[in-house]
Amino acid sequence: MKSIKPPCFISVEGGEGAGKTTLISKFEGILQSWGLSVVKTREPGGSLLGNELRQWLLNRHKSIKIGAKAELLMFLAARAQHIEEVIAPAIAKGKIVLCDRFNDSTIAYQGVGRGLGLSFVRNLCSSICGETTPDLTFFLDVDPLIGLQRTKRISKENAAAGEWDRMEAEKIEFHQLVRSAFVEIAKAEPERFFSIDASQALPQVINSCEQILSMRFGIPK
Amino acid sequence: MKSIKPPCFISVEGGEGAGKTTLISKFEGILQSWGLSVVKTREPGGSLLGNELRQWLLNRHKSIKIGAKAELLMFLAARAQHIEEVIAPAIAKGKIVLCDRFNDSTIAYQGVGRGLGLSFVRNLCSSICGETTPDLTFFLDVDPLIGLQRTKRISKENAAAGEWDRMEAEKIEFHQLVRSAFVEIAKAEPERFFSIDASQALPQVINSCEQILSMRFGIPK
């Protein structure tokens, strides 16, 4: 059997309310319990510039118009800085990078959801990121109706009660397009992707993912 | 002789202190005196988003790090929005767009000055802008030592006295690289470019440019 190198860059992808943030925190604990050094990060964000751009990209209350292409390029600017400041240095130091969203989100949301074209966005991502791309990706698949309901519930518990960001506030058809894009992207790269039914209860989702991590890191569960 | 269609999108390019802004204003007056409807704009800027990004890209006092790739992508985000909101609608209405800097600046500054690669940046610009590119470009060529001296003098007269922006503040070698890049870019497209020795006195520069405009618009001077 071919031996696979343990991953050093892991991303978690999926629509709104799929449970990415919760899962990433669980992953961090699991990997640390195996003695691994972990850098947990997210997109857009991860650097000072990225966090500033995040505010613009997700805060729908700003009066500034952002077209689809400008949005795409701002996500990529945040990513380029994120790679330079955080991801590449962490990988070079032998750390495991755990990232909440990466290129696949851009391909699904901007390429398909916004209609800029899957190949166009994929090529752009590739020309910006080069080799710095995830070697293991978890896709949390959930019906957008369920995911958005969760997001709404979480938002209500937050300070910004009931307020959705620019992406969450899109029509349900947009989120359905994005979901089907994720499904296609994941199918096309079965070696990198692990797809999970994220409508299941969280302990089940975590259990499935932990098995994959155990297998990929060669740690008996 | 082949008849050339009058230009509808004119850009003015060159290093710091070459006289672009002054010349653009002169062009505006000339074209208006010929009964043409003109939209005068600049990069980065031209839209609300573009002006916000301009602040980040040029204000060197911000503590936020912006790497070469992120910088390039932010310039392109500003450009994409500028095209969508201002340039494409103006051209569609039959107006003449006069733009202070466009893709050639990005190729010279980010591609060559920052070392991202001329072809890499040119291809990226082309994939973002499509057909919306200048059909006439004036390159104001001046020794960076002269240009920066002018900029310093102008800055001293401004409120932000003596303060240079992030580009102006680069080393002289950077500006020399940028200048040689502009020279190469202009040489490669002689049908689009008109290069002027911008170390000459302004009336001479204006006179040469006016002749080109007269010729291209078929207006006897």
Side-chain angles (χ1 to χ4, degrees), chain B residues 20-48:
Chain B
K20 295 182 297 299
T21 313
T22 314
L23 199 68
I24 287 256
S25 289
K26 290 283 175 191
F27 283 3
E28 187 184 25
I30 293 167
L31 295 174
Q32 284 173 339
S33 76
W34 294 343
L36 297 165
S37 178
V38 177
V39 172
K40 191 180 73 168
T41 186
R42 68 171 181 180
E43 292 231 341
S47 70
L48 272 173

PDB file of all heavy atoms in Angstrom, chain B residues 20-48:
ATOM      1  N   LYS B  20       1.473  63.880 -14.750  1.00  0.00           N
ATOM      2  CA  LYS B  20       0.265  63.210 -15.257  1.00  0.00           C
ATOM      3  C   LYS B  20      -1.011  63.988 -14.929  1.00  0.00           C
ATOM      4  O   LYS B  20      -1.854  64.212 -15.797  1.00  0.00           O
ATOM      5  CB  LYS B  20       0.144  61.795 -14.660  1.00  0.00           C
ATOM      6  CG  LYS B  20       1.259  60.846 -15.073  1.00  0.00           C
ATOM      7  CD  LYS B  20       1.088  59.454 -14.500  1.00  0.00           C
ATOM      8  CE  LYS B  20       1.134  59.414 -12.981  1.00  0.00           C
ATOM      9  NZ  LYS B  20       2.408  59.878 -12.401  1.00  0.00           N
ATOM     10  N   THR B  21      -1.145  64.387 -13.659  1.00  0.00           N
ATOM     11  CA  THR B  21      -2.389  65.034 -13.222  1.00  0.00           C
ATOM     12  C   THR B  21      -2.620  66.357 -13.950  1.00  0.00           C
ATOM     13  O   THR B  21      -3.735  66.636 -14.407  1.00  0.00           O
ATOM     14  CB  THR B  21      -2.338  65.253 -11.692  1.00  0.00           C
ATOM     15  OG1 THR B  21      -1.887  64.031 -11.098  1.00  0.00           O
ATOM     16  CG2 THR B  21      -3.692  65.609 -11.129  1.00  0.00           C
ATOM     17  N   THR B  22      -1.555  67.148 -14.078  1.00  0.00           N
ATOM     18  CA  THR B  22      -1.656  68.425 -14.792  1.00  0.00           C
ATOM     19  C   THR B  22      -2.066  68.188 -16.241  1.00  0.00           C
ATOM     20  O   THR B  22      -2.953  68.873 -16.772  1.00  0.00           O
ATOM     21  CB  THR B  22      -0.277  69.136 -14.781  1.00  0.00           C
ATOM     22  OG1 THR B  22       0.244  69.082 -13.459  1.00  0.00           O
ATOM     23  CG2 THR B  22      -0.369  70.570 -15.245  1.00  0.00           C
ATOM     24  N   LEU B  23      -1.423  67.201 -16.862  1.00  0.00           N
ATOM     25  CA  LEU B  23      -1.690  66.931 -18.267  1.00  0.00           C
ATOM     26  C   LEU B  23      -3.131  66.460 -18.484  1.00  0.00           C
ATOM     27  O   LEU B  23      -3.794  66.901 -19.434  1.00  0.00           O
ATOM     28  CB  LEU B  23      -0.707  65.870 -18.785  1.00  0.00           C
ATOM     29  CG  LEU B  23      -0.566  65.840 -20.300  1.00  0.00           C
ATOM     30  CD1 LEU B  23       0.126  67.098 -20.800  1.00  0.00           C
ATOM     31  CD2 LEU B  23       0.224  64.621 -20.749  1.00  0.00           C
ATOM     32  N   ILE B  24      -3.596  65.602 -17.594  1.00  0.00           N
ATOM     33  CA  ILE B  24      -4.971  65.085 -17.695  1.00  0.00           C
ATOM     34  C   ILE B  24      -5.963  66.255 -17.665  1.00  0.00           C
ATOM     35  O   ILE B  24      -6.933  66.284 -18.427  1.00  0.00           O
ATOM     36  CB  ILE B  24      -5.251  64.110 -16.527  1.00  0.00           C
ATOM     37  CG1 ILE B  24      -4.514  62.792 -16.732  1.00  0.00           C
ATOM     38  CG2 ILE B  24      -6.751  63.921 -16.329  1.00  0.00           C
ATOM     39  CD1 ILE B  24      -5.361  61.634 -17.197  1.00  0.00           C
ATOM     40  N   SER B  25      -5.718  67.216 -16.800  1.00  0.00           N
ATOM     41  CA  SER B  25      -6.622  68.372 -16.718  1.00  0.00           C
ATOM     42  C   SER B  25      -6.597  69.176 -18.012  1.00  0.00           C
ATOM     43  O   SER B  25      -7.634  69.658 -18.483  1.00  0.00           O
ATOM     44  CB  SER B  25      -6.233  69.271 -15.544  1.00  0.00           C
ATOM     45  OG  SER B  25      -6.547  68.615 -14.354  1.00  0.00           O
ATOM     46  N   LYS B  26      -5.403  69.322 -18.576  1.00  0.00           N
ATOM     47  CA  LYS B  26      -5.285  70.023 -19.867  1.00  0.00           C
ATOM     48  C   LYS B  26      -6.051  69.272 -20.948  1.00  0.00           C
ATOM     49  O   LYS B  26      -6.770  69.875 -21.750  1.00  0.00           O
ATOM     50  CB  LYS B  26      -3.813  70.143 -20.286  1.00  0.00           C
ATOM     51  CG  LYS B  26      -3.018  71.094 -19.431  1.00  0.00           C
ATOM     52  CD  LYS B  26      -3.325  72.541 -19.793  1.00  0.00           C
ATOM     53  CE  LYS B  26      -2.608  73.507 -18.848  1.00  0.00           C
ATOM     54  NZ  LYS B  26      -3.089  74.890 -19.012  1.00  0.00           N
ATOM     55  N   PHE B  27      -5.887  67.941 -20.965  1.00  0.00           N
ATOM     56  CA  PHE B  27      -6.578  67.103 -21.960  1.00  0.00           C
ATOM     57  C   PHE B  27      -8.085  67.294 -21.846  1.00  0.00           C
ATOM     58  O   PHE B  27      -8.792  67.380 -22.847  1.00  0.00           O
ATOM     59  CB  PHE B  27      -6.260  65.615 -21.736  1.00  0.00           C
ATOM     60  CG  PHE B  27      -4.904  65.185 -22.207  1.00  0.00           C
ATOM     61  CD1 PHE B  27      -3.995  66.091 -22.732  1.00  0.00           C
ATOM     62  CD2 PHE B  27      -4.531  63.845 -22.157  1.00  0.00           C
ATOM     63  CE1 PHE B  27      -2.737  65.683 -23.172  1.00  0.00           C
ATOM     64  CE2 PHE B  27      -3.292  63.420 -22.593  1.00  0.00           C
ATOM     65  CZ  PHE B  27      -2.392  64.335 -23.094  1.00  0.00           C
ATOM     66  N   GLU B  28      -8.554  67.338 -20.617  1.00  0.00           N
ATOM     67  CA  GLU B  28      -9.995  67.489 -20.377  1.00  0.00           C
ATOM     68  C   GLU B  28     -10.504  68.767 -21.071  1.00  0.00           C
ATOM     69  O   GLU B  28     -11.503  68.742 -21.793  1.00  0.00           O
ATOM     70  CB  GLU B  28     -10.275  67.550 -18.874  1.00  0.00           C
ATOM     71  CG  GLU B  28     -11.751  67.542 -18.545  1.00  0.00           C
ATOM     72  CD  GLU B  28     -12.014  67.690 -17.049  1.00  0.00           C
ATOM     73  OE1 GLU B  28     -11.157  68.265 -16.327  1.00  0.00           O
ATOM     74  OE2 GLU B  28     -13.071  67.231 -16.593  1.00  0.00           O
ATOM     75  N   GLY B  29      -9.772  69.872 -20.857  1.00  0.00           N
ATOM     76  CA  GLY B  29     -10.147  71.144 -21.463  1.00  0.00           C
ATOM     77  C   GLY B  29     -10.122  71.077 -22.980  1.00  0.00           C
ATOM     78  O   GLY B  29     -11.047  71.547 -23.659  1.00  0.00           O
ATOM     79  N   ILE B  30      -9.079  70.457 -23.521  1.00  0.00           N
ATOM     80  CA  ILE B  30      -8.943  70.358 -24.982  1.00  0.00           C
ATOM     81  C   ILE B  30     -10.105  69.565 -25.576  1.00  0.00           C
ATOM     82  O   ILE B  30     -10.768  70.004 -26.515  1.00  0.00           O
ATOM     83  CB  ILE B  30      -7.582  69.700 -25.353  1.00  0.00           C
ATOM     84  CG1 ILE B  30      -6.415  70.620 -24.969  1.00  0.00           C
ATOM     85  CG2 ILE B  30      -7.538  69.334 -26.836  1.00  0.00           C
ATOM     86  CD1 ILE B  30      -5.036  69.941 -24.991  1.00  0.00           C
ATOM     87  N   LEU B  31     -10.370  68.403 -24.986  1.00  0.00           N
ATOM     88  CA  LEU B  31     -11.422  67.530 -25.541  1.00  0.00           C
ATOM     89  C   LEU B  31     -12.799  68.185 -25.413  1.00  0.00           C
ATOM     90  O   LEU B  31     -13.626  68.093 -26.318  1.00  0.00           O
ATOM     91  CB  LEU B  31     -11.401  66.152 -24.849  1.00  0.00           C
ATOM     92  CG  LEU B  31     -10.128  65.319 -25.082  1.00  0.00           C
ATOM     93  CD1 LEU B  31     -10.160  64.041 -24.234  1.00  0.00           C
ATOM     94  CD2 LEU B  31      -9.959  64.938 -26.555  1.00  0.00           C
ATOM     95  N   GLN B  32     -13.007  68.870 -24.283  1.00  0.00           N
ATOM     96  CA  GLN B  32     -14.295  69.560 -24.102  1.00  0.00           C
ATOM     97  C   GLN B  32     -14.451  70.695 -25.117  1.00  0.00           C
ATOM     98  O   GLN B  32     -15.539  70.919 -25.636  1.00  0.00           O
ATOM     99  CB  GLN B  32     -14.419  70.081 -22.671  1.00  0.00           C
ATOM    100  CG  GLN B  32     -14.742  68.960 -21.676  1.00  0.00           C
ATOM    101  CD  GLN B  32     -14.708  69.396 -20.239  1.00  0.00           C
ATOM    102  OE1 GLN B  32     -14.094  70.409 -19.898  1.00  0.00           O
ATOM    103  NE2 GLN B  32     -15.351  68.625 -19.367  1.00  0.00           N
ATOM    104  N   SER B  33     -13.326  71.375 -25.418  1.00  0.00           N
ATOM    105  CA  SER B  33     -13.393  72.473 -26.395  1.00  0.00           C
ATOM    106  C   SER B  33     -13.745  71.938 -27.791  1.00  0.00           C
ATOM    107  O   SER B  33     -14.175  72.690 -28.654  1.00  0.00           O
ATOM    108  CB  SER B  33     -12.070  73.247 -26.427  1.00  0.00           C
ATOM    109  OG  SER B  33     -11.099  72.499 -27.142  1.00  0.00           O
ATOM    110  N   TRP B  34     -13.565  70.628 -27.985  1.00  0.00           N
ATOM    111  CA  TRP B  34     -13.949  70.006 -29.263  1.00  0.00           C
ATOM    112  C   TRP B  34     -15.385  69.459 -29.189  1.00  0.00           C
ATOM    113  O   TRP B  34     -15.823  68.713 -30.065  1.00  0.00           O
ATOM    114  CB  TRP B  34     -12.990  68.852 -29.610  1.00  0.00           C
ATOM    115  CG  TRP B  34     -11.576  69.310 -29.892  1.00  0.00           C
ATOM    116  CD1 TRP B  34     -11.161  70.579 -30.176  1.00  0.00           C
ATOM    117  CD2 TRP B  34     -10.406  68.491 -29.904  1.00  0.00           C
ATOM    118  NE1 TRP B  34      -9.799  70.620 -30.367  1.00  0.00           N
ATOM    119  CE2 TRP B  34      -9.304  69.344 -30.216  1.00  0.00           C
ATOM    120  CE3 TRP B  34     -10.142  67.146 -29.697  1.00  0.00           C
ATOM    121  CZ2 TRP B  34      -7.984  68.876 -30.301  1.00  0.00           C
ATOM    122  CZ3 TRP B  34      -8.838  66.674 -29.794  1.00  0.00           C
ATOM    123  CH2 TRP B  34      -7.773  67.543 -30.091  1.00  0.00           C
ATOM    124  N   GLY B  35     -16.069  69.765 -28.101  1.00  0.00           N
ATOM    125  CA  GLY B  35     -17.464  69.332 -27.971  1.00  0.00           C
ATOM    126  C   GLY B  35     -17.636  67.901 -27.491  1.00  0.00           C
ATOM    127  O   GLY B  35     -18.721  67.331 -27.600  1.00  0.00           O
ATOM    128  N   LEU B  36     -16.545  67.322 -26.960  1.00  0.00           N
ATOM    129  CA  LEU B  36     -16.626  65.923 -26.502  1.00  0.00           C
ATOM    130  C   LEU B  36     -16.990  65.871 -25.015  1.00  0.00           C
ATOM    131  O   LEU B  36     -16.617  66.755 -24.244  1.00  0.00           O
ATOM    132  CB  LEU B  36     -15.285  65.213 -26.735  1.00  0.00           C
ATOM    133  CG  LEU B  36     -14.878  65.095 -28.208  1.00  0.00           C
ATOM    134  CD1 LEU B  36     -13.405  64.738 -28.336  1.00  0.00           C
ATOM    135  CD2 LEU B  36     -15.743  64.040 -28.909  1.00  0.00           C
ATOM    136  N   SER B  37     -17.713  64.830 -24.652  1.00  0.00           N
ATOM    137  CA  SER B  37     -18.079  64.633 -23.258  1.00  0.00           C
ATOM    138  C   SER B  37     -17.002  63.758 -22.601  1.00  0.00           C
ATOM    139  O   SER B  37     -16.690  62.670 -23.100  1.00  0.00           O
ATOM    140  CB  SER B  37     -19.450  63.956 -23.214  1.00  0.00           C
ATOM    141  OG  SER B  37     -19.804  63.714 -21.893  1.00  0.00           O
ATOM    142  N   VAL B  38     -16.414  64.265 -21.519  1.00  0.00           N
ATOM    143  CA  VAL B  38     -15.231  63.628 -20.941  1.00  0.00           C
ATOM    144  C   VAL B  38     -15.481  63.178 -19.499  1.00  0.00           C
ATOM    145  O   VAL B  38     -16.120  63.884 -18.729  1.00  0.00           O
ATOM    146  CB  VAL B  38     -14.039  64.630 -20.939  1.00  0.00           C
ATOM    147  CG1 VAL B  38     -12.808  64.020 -20.268  1.00  0.00           C
ATOM    148  CG2 VAL B  38     -13.715  65.076 -22.359  1.00  0.00           C
ATOM    149  N   VAL B  39     -14.986  61.996 -19.149  1.00  0.00           N
ATOM    150  CA  VAL B  39     -14.980  61.553 -17.750  1.00  0.00           C
ATOM    151  C   VAL B  39     -13.517  61.463 -17.328  1.00  0.00           C
ATOM    152  O   VAL B  39     -12.764  60.647 -17.863  1.00  0.00           O
ATOM    153  CB  VAL B  39     -15.688  60.185 -17.580  1.00  0.00           C
ATOM    154  CG1 VAL B  39     -15.491  59.645 -16.163  1.00  0.00           C
ATOM    155  CG2 VAL B  39     -17.166  60.320 -17.884  1.00  0.00           C
ATOM    156  N   LYS B  40     -13.127  62.323 -16.379  1.00  0.00           N
ATOM    157  CA  LYS B  40     -11.739  62.341 -15.900  1.00  0.00           C
ATOM    158  C   LYS B  40     -11.686  61.526 -14.614  1.00  0.00           C
ATOM    159  O   LYS B  40     -12.461  61.779 -13.694  1.00  0.00           O
ATOM    160  CB  LYS B  40     -11.333  63.798 -15.634  1.00  0.00           C
ATOM    161  CG  LYS B  40      -9.853  63.990 -15.388  1.00  0.00           C
ATOM    162  CD  LYS B  40      -9.533  65.457 -15.139  1.00  0.00           C
ATOM    163  CE  LYS B  40     -10.007  65.883 -13.770  1.00  0.00           C
ATOM    164  NZ  LYS B  40      -9.506  67.178 -13.319  1.00  0.00           N
ATOM    165  N   THR B  41     -10.789  60.563 -14.570  1.00  0.00           N
ATOM    166  CA  THR B  41     -10.731  59.708 -13.386  1.00  0.00           C
ATOM    167  C   THR B  41      -9.285  59.267 -13.117  1.00  0.00           C
ATOM    168  O   THR B  41      -8.377  59.676 -13.853  1.00  0.00           O
ATOM    169  CB  THR B  41     -11.724  58.525 -13.581  1.00  0.00           C
ATOM    170  OG1 THR B  41     -11.787  57.767 -12.385  1.00  0.00           O
ATOM    171  CG2 THR B  41     -11.333  57.625 -14.742  1.00  0.00           C
ATOM    172  N   ARG B  42      -9.091  58.504 -12.060  1.00  0.00           N
ATOM    173  CA  ARG B  42      -7.719  58.117 -11.716  1.00  0.00           C
ATOM    174  C   ARG B  42      -7.692  56.766 -11.006  1.00  0.00           C
ATOM    175  O   ARG B  42      -8.690  56.295 -10.478  1.00  0.00           O
ATOM    176  CB  ARG B  42      -7.088  59.165 -10.796  1.00  0.00           C
ATOM    177  CG  ARG B  42      -7.735  59.193  -9.427  1.00  0.00           C
ATOM    178  CD  ARG B  42      -6.973  60.080  -8.459  1.00  0.00           C
ATOM    179  NE  ARG B  42      -7.634  60.055  -7.155  1.00  0.00           N
ATOM    180  CZ  ARG B  42      -7.211  60.719  -6.098  1.00  0.00           C
ATOM    181  NH1 ARG B  42      -6.139  61.489  -6.183  1.00  0.00           N
ATOM    182  NH2 ARG B  42      -7.842  60.628  -4.949  1.00  0.00           N
ATOM    183  N   GLU B  43      -6.491  56.188 -10.976  1.00  0.00           N
ATOM    184  CA  GLU B  43      -6.283  54.915 -10.286  1.00  0.00           C
ATOM    185  C   GLU B  43      -5.097  55.026  -9.345  1.00  0.00           C
ATOM    186  O   GLU B  43      -4.125  55.692  -9.687  1.00  0.00           O
ATOM    187  CB  GLU B  43      -6.001  53.827 -11.314  1.00  0.00           C
ATOM    188  CG  GLU B  43      -7.213  53.519 -12.151  1.00  0.00           C
ATOM    189  CD  GLU B  43      -7.507  52.036 -12.201  1.00  0.00           C
ATOM    190  OE1 GLU B  43      -6.609  51.243 -11.903  1.00  0.00           O
ATOM    191  OE2 GLU B  43      -8.638  51.685 -12.516  1.00  0.00           O
ATOM    192  N   PRO B  44      -5.136  54.350  -8.178  1.00  0.00           N
ATOM    193  CA  PRO B  44      -6.328  53.682  -7.667  1.00  0.00           C
ATOM    194  C   PRO B  44      -7.337  54.726  -7.234  1.00  0.00           C
ATOM    195  O   PRO B  44      -6.965  55.820  -6.802  1.00  0.00           O
ATOM    196  CB  PRO B  44      -5.788  52.894  -6.469  1.00  0.00           C
ATOM    197  CG  PRO B  44      -4.571  53.632  -6.031  1.00  0.00           C
ATOM    198  CD  PRO B  44      -3.998  54.257  -7.260  1.00  0.00           C
ATOM    199  N   GLY B  45      -8.610  54.423  -7.382  1.00  0.00           N
ATOM    200  CA  GLY B  45      -9.672  55.365  -7.021  1.00  0.00           C
ATOM    201  C   GLY B  45     -10.826  55.234  -7.972  1.00  0.00           C
ATOM    202  O   GLY B  45     -11.068  54.153  -8.512  1.00  0.00           O
ATOM    203  N   GLY B  46     -11.540  56.310  -8.193  1.00  0.00           N
ATOM    204  CA  GLY B  46     -12.603  56.314  -9.191  1.00  0.00           C
ATOM    205  C   GLY B  46     -13.938  55.763  -8.713  1.00  0.00           C
ATOM    206  O   GLY B  46     -14.935  55.959  -9.370  1.00  0.00           O
ATOM    207  N   SER B  47     -13.923  55.021  -7.601  1.00  0.00           N
ATOM    208  CA  SER B  47     -15.176  54.534  -7.018  1.00  0.00           C
ATOM    209  C   SER B  47     -15.015  54.667  -5.506  1.00  0.00           C
ATOM    210  O   SER B  47     -13.907  54.899  -5.017  1.00  0.00           O
ATOM    211  CB  SER B  47     -15.421  53.069  -7.382  1.00  0.00           C
ATOM    212  OG  SER B  47     -14.485  52.235  -6.711  1.00  0.00           O
ATOM    213  N   LEU B  48     -16.091  54.517  -4.761  1.00  0.00           N
ATOM    214  CA  LEU B  48     -15.977  54.597  -3.297  1.00  0.00           C
ATOM    215  C   LEU B  48     -14.982  53.551  -2.786  1.00  0.00           C
ATOM    216  O   LEU B  48     -14.091  53.850  -1.994  1.00  0.00           O
ATOM    217  CB  LEU B  48     -17.350  54.358  -2.649  1.00  0.00           C
ATOM    218  CG  LEU B  48     -18.239  55.593  -2.458  1.00  0.00           C
ATOM    219  CD1 LEU B  48     -19.612  55.178  -1.967  1.00  0.00           C
ATOM    220  CD2 LEU B  48     -17.606  56.564  -1.463  1.00  0.00           C
TER     221      LEU B  48
END
